[in-house]
Amino acid sequence: MSLRAIRETARGQLHDTIKVAGYYYAPGVDDYVDCFVRVHAKVEKLGDLKGTNFSYAETMEPVTKLVFWDADGIVPDTKGLVMVSATEGYRIGVVEPSDGLITKVQVSELTTAQLATFDAP
């Protein structure tokens, strides 16, 4: 087995282990499609202070991303919605290009009023 095949298998196992069920609402469509996503929230470190290990670098606001497994058949679209629970939902902003296995999308959280208008798993 090649290193690439091992890496792809490991990525699939990671996704299967930490994915969460959700509902994907395409823009302009009232009905949802079942989906599985991984939720990533991290702070990106920017800038480099000479001679440091990034511990003093400037940081930006946390960027929340959702990861879709391409083999699941969901093609996320800008302004689509993903509901993960009755208290957690996201609006898709930027759709990053697929790498052949996954598609990452940058998202913003829905407000409490917006959450109440959509079904959740």
Side-chain angles (χ1 to χ4, degrees):
M1 184 182 269
S2 71
L3 183 58
R4 175 179 280 174
I6 292 169
R7 191 173 97 190
E8 289 177 0
T9 301
R11 289 176 71 189
Q13 291 170 346
L14 171 72
H15 186 78
D16 286 340
T17 302
I18 62 175
K19 67 185 177 184
V20 294
Y23 291 164
Y24 172 71
Y25 290 88
V29 178
D30 292 334
D31 202 15
Y32 62 83
V33 176
D34 291 327
C35 68
F36 292 99
V37 295
R38 296 185 340 234
V39 181
H40 287 208
K42 67 178 183 177
V43 176
E44 299 285 341
K45 293 189 176 185
L46 301 175
D48 182 15
L49 299 177
K50 196 167 188 130
T52 67
N53 62 356
F54 283 111
S55 63
Y56 298 108
E58 296 179 19
T59 59
M60 63 185 277
E61 292 291 320
V63 176
T64 303
K65 293 183 180 182
L66 298 180
V67 178
F68 289 85
W69 190 251
D70 290 347
D72 289 344
I74 302 292
V75 180
D77 195 5
T78 303
K79 296 186 180 177
L81 298 173
V82 177
M83 296 295 295
V84 176
S85 71
T87 59
E88 183 181 10
Y90 302 96
R91 180 173 305 280
I92 298 173
V94 177
V95 179
E96 298 177 5
S98 172
D99 69 359
L101 293 177
I102 63 170
T103 301
K104 289 184 182 180
V105 296
Q106 295 180 13
V107 295
S108 56
E109 292 186 30
L110 297 176
T111 64
T112 306
Q114 292 170 327
L115 289 170
T117 62
F118 295 97
D119 290 333

